[in-house]
mmCIF file with all atom_site columns, all heavy atoms in Angstrom:
data_model
loop_
_atom_site.group_PDB
_atom_site.id
_atom_site.type_symbol
_atom_site.label_atom_id
_atom_site.label_alt_id
_atom_site.label_comp_id
_atom_site.label_asym_id
_atom_site.label_entity_id
_atom_site.label_seq_id
_atom_site.pdbx_PDB_ins_code
_atom_site.Cartn_x
_atom_site.Cartn_y
_atom_site.Cartn_z
_atom_site.occupancy
_atom_site.B_iso_or_equiv
_atom_site.pdbx_formal_charge
_atom_site.auth_seq_id
_atom_site.auth_comp_id
_atom_site.auth_asym_id
_atom_site.auth_atom_id
_atom_site.pdbx_PDB_model_num
ATOM 1   N N   . LEU A 1 105 ? 3.281  -11.199 14.054 1.00 98.00 ? 314 LEU A N   1
ATOM 2   C CA  . LEU A 1 105 ? 4.706  -11.333 14.371 1.00 98.00 ? 314 LEU A CA  1
ATOM 3   C C   . LEU A 1 105 ? 5.533  -11.364 13.077 1.00 98.00 ? 314 LEU A C   1
ATOM 4   O O   . LEU A 1 105 ? 6.553  -10.674 12.951 1.00 98.00 ? 314 LEU A O   1
ATOM 5   C CB  . LEU A 1 105 ? 4.940  -12.618 15.187 1.00 98.00 ? 314 LEU A CB  1
ATOM 6   C CG  . LEU A 1 105 ? 6.401  -12.938 15.498 1.00 98.00 ? 314 LEU A CG  1
ATOM 7   C CD1 . LEU A 1 105 ? 7.027  -11.846 16.373 1.00 98.00 ? 314 LEU A CD1 1
ATOM 8   C CD2 . LEU A 1 105 ? 6.529  -14.296 16.185 1.00 98.00 ? 314 LEU A CD2 1
ATOM 9   N N   . GLU A 1 106 ? 5.057  -12.142 12.121 1.00 98.00 ? 315 GLU A N   1
ATOM 10  C CA  . GLU A 1 106 ? 5.753  -12.224 10.828 1.00 98.00 ? 315 GLU A CA  1
ATOM 11  C C   . GLU A 1 106 ? 5.763  -10.851 10.134 1.00 98.00 ? 315 GLU A C   1
ATOM 12  O O   . GLU A 1 106 ? 6.771  -10.432 9.555  1.00 98.00 ? 315 GLU A O   1
ATOM 13  C CB  . GLU A 1 106 ? 5.002  -13.225 9.949  1.00 98.00 ? 315 GLU A CB  1
ATOM 14  C CG  . GLU A 1 106 ? 5.874  -14.146 9.154  1.00 98.00 ? 315 GLU A CG  1
ATOM 15  C CD  . GLU A 1 106 ? 5.021  -15.202 8.454  1.00 98.00 ? 315 GLU A CD  1
ATOM 16  O OE1 . GLU A 1 106 ? 4.157  -15.818 9.111  1.00 98.00 ? 315 GLU A OE1 1
ATOM 17  O OE2 . GLU A 1 106 ? 5.213  -15.372 7.248  1.00 98.00 ? 315 GLU A OE2 1
ATOM 18  N N   . ILE A 1 107 ? 4.628  -10.180 10.218 1.00 98.00 ? 316 ILE A N   1
ATOM 19  C CA  . ILE A 1 107 ? 4.503  -8.855  9.610  1.00 98.00 ? 316 ILE A CA  1
ATOM 20  C C   . ILE A 1 107 ? 5.471  -7.884  10.280 1.00 98.00 ? 316 ILE A C   1
ATOM 21  O O   . ILE A 1 107 ? 6.138  -7.085  9.623  1.00 98.00 ? 316 ILE A O   1
ATOM 22  C CB  . ILE A 1 107 ? 3.029  -8.382  9.701  1.00 98.00 ? 316 ILE A CB  1
ATOM 23  C CG1 . ILE A 1 107 ? 2.192  -9.208  8.721  1.00 98.00 ? 316 ILE A CG1 1
ATOM 24  C CG2 . ILE A 1 107 ? 2.892  -6.882  9.433  1.00 98.00 ? 316 ILE A CG2 1
ATOM 25  C CD1 . ILE A 1 107 ? 0.708  -9.182  8.966  1.00 98.00 ? 316 ILE A CD1 1
ATOM 26  N N   . ASN A 1 108 ? 5.591  -7.998  11.580 1.00 98.00 ? 317 ASN A N   1
ATOM 27  C CA  . ASN A 1 108 ? 6.529  -7.172  12.331 1.00 98.00 ? 317 ASN A CA  1
ATOM 28  C C   . ASN A 1 108 ? 7.969  -7.439  11.867 1.00 98.00 ? 317 ASN A C   1
ATOM 29  O O   . ASN A 1 108 ? 8.755  -6.493  11.641 1.00 98.00 ? 317 ASN A O   1
ATOM 30  C CB  . ASN A 1 108 ? 6.365  -7.478  13.833 1.00 98.00 ? 317 ASN A CB  1
ATOM 31  C CG  . ASN A 1 108 ? 7.376  -6.755  14.696 1.00 98.00 ? 317 ASN A CG  1
ATOM 32  O OD1 . ASN A 1 108 ? 8.281  -7.363  15.246 1.00 98.00 ? 317 ASN A OD1 1
ATOM 33  N ND2 . ASN A 1 108 ? 7.226  -5.452  14.805 1.00 98.00 ? 317 ASN A ND2 1
ATOM 34  N N   . MET A 1 109 ? 8.318  -8.695  11.661 1.00 98.00 ? 318 MET A N   1
ATOM 35  C CA  . MET A 1 109 ? 9.680  -9.027  11.215 1.00 98.00 ? 318 MET A CA  1
ATOM 36  C C   . MET A 1 109 ? 9.925  -8.514  9.799  1.00 98.00 ? 318 MET A C   1
ATOM 37  O O   . MET A 1 109 ? 11.014 -8.054  9.456  1.00 98.00 ? 318 MET A O   1
ATOM 38  C CB  . MET A 1 109 ? 9.906  -10.535 11.304 1.00 98.00 ? 318 MET A CB  1
ATOM 39  C CG  . MET A 1 109 ? 9.971  -10.991 12.764 1.00 98.00 ? 318 MET A CG  1
ATOM 40  S SD  . MET A 1 109 ? 9.779  -12.758 12.935 1.00 98.00 ? 318 MET A SD  1
ATOM 41  C CE  . MET A 1 109 ? 11.475 -13.279 12.776 1.00 98.00 ? 318 MET A CE  1
ATOM 42  N N   . LYS A 1 110 ? 8.908  -8.590  8.971  1.00 98.00 ? 319 LYS A N   1
ATOM 43  C CA  . LYS A 1 110 ? 9.034  -8.079  7.597  1.00 98.00 ? 319 LYS A CA  1
ATOM 44  C C   . LYS A 1 110 ? 9.210  -6.564  7.616  1.00 98.00 ? 319 LYS A C   1
ATOM 45  O O   . LYS A 1 110 ? 10.038 -6.017  6.876  1.00 98.00 ? 319 LYS A O   1
ATOM 46  C CB  . LYS A 1 110 ? 7.798  -8.472  6.775  1.00 98.00 ? 319 LYS A CB  1
ATOM 47  C CG  . LYS A 1 110 ? 7.741  -9.951  6.468  1.00 98.00 ? 319 LYS A CG  1
ATOM 48  C CD  . LYS A 1 110 ? 6.565  -10.294 5.576  1.00 98.00 ? 319 LYS A CD  1
ATOM 49  C CE  . LYS A 1 110 ? 6.617  -11.786 5.244  1.00 98.00 ? 319 LYS A CE  1
ATOM 50  N NZ  . LYS A 1 110 ? 5.779  -12.149 4.107  1.00 98.00 ? 319 LYS A NZ  1
ATOM 51  N N   . LEU A 1 111 ? 8.429  -5.891  8.451  1.00 98.00 ? 320 LEU A N   1
ATOM 52  C CA  . LEU A 1 111 ? 8.547  -4.423  8.526  1.00 98.00 ? 320 LEU A CA  1
ATOM 53  C C   . LEU A 1 111 ? 9.952  -4.025  8.950  1.00 98.00 ? 320 LEU A C   1
ATOM 54  O O   . LEU A 1 111 ? 10.548 -3.098  8.387  1.00 98.00 ? 320 LEU A O   1
ATOM 55  C CB  . LEU A 1 111 ? 7.532  -3.860  9.528  1.00 98.00 ? 320 LEU A CB  1
ATOM 56  C CG  . LEU A 1 111 ? 6.076  -3.788  9.073  1.00 98.00 ? 320 LEU A CG  1
ATOM 57  C CD1 . LEU A 1 111 ? 5.179  -3.368  10.225 1.00 98.00 ? 320 LEU A CD1 1
ATOM 58  C CD2 . LEU A 1 111 ? 5.922  -2.815  7.899  1.00 98.00 ? 320 LEU A CD2 1
ATOM 59  N N   . LYS A 1 112 ? 10.489 -4.747  9.941  1.00 98.00 ? 321 LYS A N   1
ATOM 60  C CA  . LYS A 1 112 ? 11.847 -4.435  10.414 1.00 98.00 ? 321 LYS A CA  1
ATOM 61  C C   . LYS A 1 112 ? 12.857 -4.618  9.277  1.00 98.00 ? 321 LYS A C   1
ATOM 62  O O   . LYS A 1 112 ? 13.748 -3.794  9.080  1.00 98.00 ? 321 LYS A O   1
ATOM 63  C CB  . LYS A 1 112 ? 12.216 -5.339  11.592 1.00 98.00 ? 321 LYS A CB  1
ATOM 64  C CG  . LYS A 1 112 ? 11.538 -4.917  12.892 1.00 98.00 ? 321 LYS A CG  1
ATOM 65  C CD  . LYS A 1 112 ? 11.862 -5.916  13.995 1.00 98.00 ? 321 LYS A CD  1
ATOM 66  C CE  . LYS A 1 112 ? 11.186 -5.494  15.297 1.00 98.00 ? 321 LYS A CE  1
ATOM 67  N NZ  . LYS A 1 112 ? 11.076 -6.617  16.244 1.00 98.00 ? 321 LYS A NZ  1
ATOM 68  N N   . ALA A 1 113 ? 12.701 -5.719  8.528  1.00 97.00 ? 322 ALA A N   1
ATOM 69  C CA  . ALA A 1 113 ? 13.627 -5.984  7.421  1.00 97.00 ? 322 ALA A CA  1
ATOM 70  C C   . ALA A 1 113 ? 13.544 -4.876  6.369  1.00 97.00 ? 322 ALA A C   1
ATOM 71  O O   . ALA A 1 113 ? 14.568 -4.395  5.865  1.00 97.00 ? 322 ALA A O   1
ATOM 72  C CB  . ALA A 1 113 ? 13.306 -7.337  6.793  1.00 97.00 ? 322 ALA A CB  1
ATOM 73  N N   . VAL A 1 114 ? 12.338 -4.448  6.046  1.00 98.00 ? 323 VAL A N   1
ATOM 74  C CA  . VAL A 1 114 ? 12.149 -3.419  5.014  1.00 98.00 ? 323 VAL A CA  1
ATOM 75  C C   . VAL A 1 114 ? 12.749 -2.090  5.484  1.00 98.00 ? 323 VAL A C   1
ATOM 76  O O   . VAL A 1 114 ? 13.475 -1.413  4.737  1.00 98.00 ? 323 VAL A O   1
ATOM 77  C CB  . VAL A 1 114 ? 10.637 -3.249  4.697  1.00 98.00 ? 323 VAL A CB  1
ATOM 78  C CG1 . VAL A 1 114 ? 10.404 -2.072  3.764  1.00 98.00 ? 323 VAL A CG1 1
ATOM 79  C CG2 . VAL A 1 114 ? 10.082 -4.520  4.079  1.00 98.00 ? 323 VAL A CG2 1
ATOM 80  N N   . ILE A 1 115 ? 12.473 -1.743  6.739  1.00 97.00 ? 324 ILE A N   1
ATOM 81  C CA  . ILE A 1 115 ? 12.977 -0.466  7.278  1.00 97.00 ? 324 ILE A CA  1
ATOM 82  C C   . ILE A 1 115 ? 14.508 -0.495  7.366  1.00 97.00 ? 324 ILE A C   1
ATOM 83  O O   . ILE A 1 115 ? 15.177 0.470   7.001  1.00 97.00 ? 324 ILE A O   1
ATOM 84  C CB  . ILE A 1 115 ? 12.326 -0.169  8.650  1.00 97.00 ? 324 ILE A CB  1
ATOM 85  C CG1 . ILE A 1 115 ? 10.840 0.158   8.444  1.00 97.00 ? 324 ILE A CG1 1
ATOM 86  C CG2 . ILE A 1 115 ? 13.038 0.960   9.384  1.00 97.00 ? 324 ILE A CG2 1
ATOM 87  C CD1 . ILE A 1 115 ? 10.007 0.236   9.698  1.00 97.00 ? 324 ILE A CD1 1
ATOM 88  N N   . ASN A 1 116 ? 15.060 -1.625  7.829  1.00 96.00 ? 325 ASN A N   1
ATOM 89  C CA  . ASN A 1 116 ? 16.523 -1.729  7.954  1.00 96.00 ? 325 ASN A CA  1
ATOM 90  C C   . ASN A 1 116 ? 17.224 -1.557  6.619  1.00 96.00 ? 325 ASN A C   1
ATOM 91  O O   . ASN A 1 116 ? 18.358 -1.089  6.551  1.00 96.00 ? 325 ASN A O   1
ATOM 92  C CB  . ASN A 1 116 ? 16.927 -3.095  8.540  1.00 96.00 ? 325 ASN A CB  1
ATOM 93  C CG  . ASN A 1 116 ? 16.652 -3.142  10.025 1.00 96.00 ? 325 ASN A CG  1
ATOM 94  O OD1 . ASN A 1 116 ? 16.451 -2.098  10.651 1.00 96.00 ? 325 ASN A OD1 1
ATOM 95  N ND2 . ASN A 1 116 ? 16.597 -4.335  10.590 1.00 96.00 ? 325 ASN A ND2 1
ATOM 96  N N   . GLU A 1 117 ? 16.554 -1.945  5.564  1.00 96.00 ? 326 GLU A N   1
ATOM 97  C CA  . GLU A 1 117 ? 17.171 -1.844  4.231  1.00 96.00 ? 326 GLU A CA  1
ATOM 98  C C   . GLU A 1 117 ? 16.951 -0.468  3.612  1.00 96.00 ? 326 GLU A C   1
ATOM 99  O O   . GLU A 1 117 ? 17.413 -0.175  2.520  1.00 96.00 ? 326 GLU A O   1
ATOM 100 C CB  . GLU A 1 117 ? 16.587 -2.954  3.346  1.00 96.00 ? 326 GLU A CB  1
ATOM 101 C CG  . GLU A 1 117 ? 17.461 -3.418  2.215  1.00 96.00 ? 326 GLU A CG  1
ATOM 102 C CD  . GLU A 1 117 ? 18.762 -4.058  2.673  1.00 96.00 ? 326 GLU A CD  1
ATOM 103 O OE1 . GLU A 1 117 ? 18.730 -5.054  3.418  1.00 96.00 ? 326 GLU A OE1 1
ATOM 104 O OE2 . GLU A 1 117 ? 19.823 -3.550  2.260  1.00 96.00 ? 326 GLU A OE2 1
ATOM 105 N N   . GLY A 1 118 ? 16.221 0.386   4.307  1.00 96.00 ? 327 GLY A N   1
ATOM 106 C CA  . GLY A 1 118 ? 15.988 1.751   3.803  1.00 96.00 ? 327 GLY A CA  1
ATOM 107 C C   . GLY A 1 118 ? 14.874 1.837   2.772  1.00 96.00 ? 327 GLY A C   1
ATOM 108 O O   . GLY A 1 118 ? 14.745 2.836   2.057  1.00 96.00 ? 327 GLY A O   1
ATOM 109 N N   . LEU A 1 119 ? 14.058 0.779   2.681  1.00 97.00 ? 328 LEU A N   1
ATOM 110 C CA  . LEU A 1 119 ? 12.918 0.823   1.770  1.00 97.00 ? 328 LEU A CA  1
ATOM 111 C C   . LEU A 1 119 ? 11.694 1.340   2.531  1.00 97.00 ? 328 LEU A C   1
ATOM 112 O O   . LEU A 1 119 ? 11.695 1.392   3.756  1.00 97.00 ? 328 LEU A O   1
ATOM 113 C CB  . LEU A 1 119 ? 12.629 -0.583  1.241  1.00 97.00 ? 328 LEU A CB  1
ATOM 114 C CG  . LEU A 1 119 ? 13.731 -1.197  0.365  1.00 97.00 ? 328 LEU A CG  1
ATOM 115 C CD1 . LEU A 1 119 ? 13.565 -2.701  0.263  1.00 97.00 ? 328 LEU A CD1 1
ATOM 116 C CD2 . LEU A 1 119 ? 13.705 -0.566  -1.016 1.00 97.00 ? 328 LEU A CD2 1
ATOM 117 N N   . THR A 1 120 ? 10.663 1.722   1.795  1.00 98.00 ? 329 THR A N   1
ATOM 118 C CA  . THR A 1 120 ? 9.453  2.254   2.426  1.00 98.00 ? 329 THR A CA  1
ATOM 119 C C   . THR A 1 120 ? 8.387  1.172   2.533  1.00 98.00 ? 329 THR A C   1
ATOM 120 O O   . THR A 1 120 ? 7.902  0.672   1.507  1.00 98.00 ? 329 THR A O   1
ATOM 121 C CB  . THR A 1 120 ? 8.884  3.424   1.585  1.00 98.00 ? 329 THR A CB  1
ATOM 122 O OG1 . THR A 1 120 ? 9.879  4.436   1.523  1.00 98.00 ? 329 THR A OG1 1
ATOM 123 C CG2 . THR A 1 120 ? 7.615  3.986   2.201  1.00 98.00 ? 329 THR A CG2 1
ATOM 124 N N   . PRO A 1 121 ? 8.018  0.782   3.766  1.00 98.00 ? 330 PRO A N   1
ATOM 125 C CA  . PRO A 1 121 ? 6.973  -0.232  3.897  1.00 98.00 ? 330 PRO A CA  1
ATOM 126 C C   . PRO A 1 121 ? 5.576  0.371   3.802  1.00 98.00 ? 330 PRO A C   1
ATOM 127 O O   . PRO A 1 121 ? 5.326  1.474   4.286  1.00 98.00 ? 330 PRO A O   1
ATOM 128 C CB  . PRO A 1 121 ? 7.204  -0.803  5.304  1.00 98.00 ? 330 PRO A CB  1
ATOM 129 C CG  . PRO A 1 121 ? 7.886  0.278   6.060  1.00 98.00 ? 330 PRO A CG  1
ATOM 130 C CD  . PRO A 1 121 ? 8.573  1.189   5.074  1.00 98.00 ? 330 PRO A CD  1
ATOM 131 N N   . ILE A 1 122 ? 4.672  -0.358  3.160  1.00 98.00 ? 331 ILE A N   1
ATOM 132 C CA  . ILE A 1 122 ? 3.255  0.021   3.124  1.00 98.00 ? 331 ILE A CA  1
ATOM 133 C C   . ILE A 1 122 ? 2.549  -1.018  3.986  1.00 98.00 ? 331 ILE A C   1
ATOM 134 O O   . ILE A 1 122 ? 2.326  -2.156  3.555  1.00 98.00 ? 331 ILE A O   1
ATOM 135 C CB  . ILE A 1 122 ? 2.707  -0.012  1.680  1.00 98.00 ? 331 ILE A CB  1
ATOM 136 C CG1 . ILE A 1 122 ? 3.539  0.878   0.768  1.00 98.00 ? 331 ILE A CG1 1
ATOM 137 C CG2 . ILE A 1 122 ? 1.226  0.381   1.655  1.00 98.00 ? 331 ILE A CG2 1
ATOM 138 C CD1 . ILE A 1 122 ? 3.589  0.401   -0.678 1.00 98.00 ? 331 ILE A CD1 1
ATOM 139 N N   . LEU A 1 123 ? 2.261  -0.661  5.210  1.00 98.00 ? 332 LEU A N   1
ATOM 140 C CA  . LEU A 1 123 ? 1.631  -1.605  6.136  1.00 98.00 ? 332 LEU A CA  1
ATOM 141 C C   . LEU A 1 123 ? 0.119  -1.602  5.930  1.00 98.00 ? 332 LEU A C   1
ATOM 142 O O   . LEU A 1 123 ? -0.534 -0.568  6.082  1.00 98.00 ? 332 LEU A O   1
ATOM 143 C CB  . LEU A 1 123 ? 1.965  -1.217  7.594  1.00 98.00 ? 332 LEU A CB  1
ATOM 144 C CG  . LEU A 1 123 ? 1.176  -1.968  8.675  1.00 98.00 ? 332 LEU A CG  1
ATOM 145 C CD1 . LEU A 1 123 ? 1.433  -3.466  8.635  1.00 98.00 ? 332 LEU A CD1 1
ATOM 146 C CD2 . LEU A 1 123 ? 1.513  -1.414  10.067 1.00 98.00 ? 332 LEU A CD2 1
#
Side-chain angles (χ1 to χ4, degrees):
L314 176 63
E315 221 173 312
I316 288 162
N317 175 251
M318 290 164 88
K319 289 184 177 197
L320 284 173
K321 284 176 180 161
V323 173
I324 290 170
N325 285 344
E326 206 63 58
L328 295 162
T329 300
I331 304 150
L332 170 62

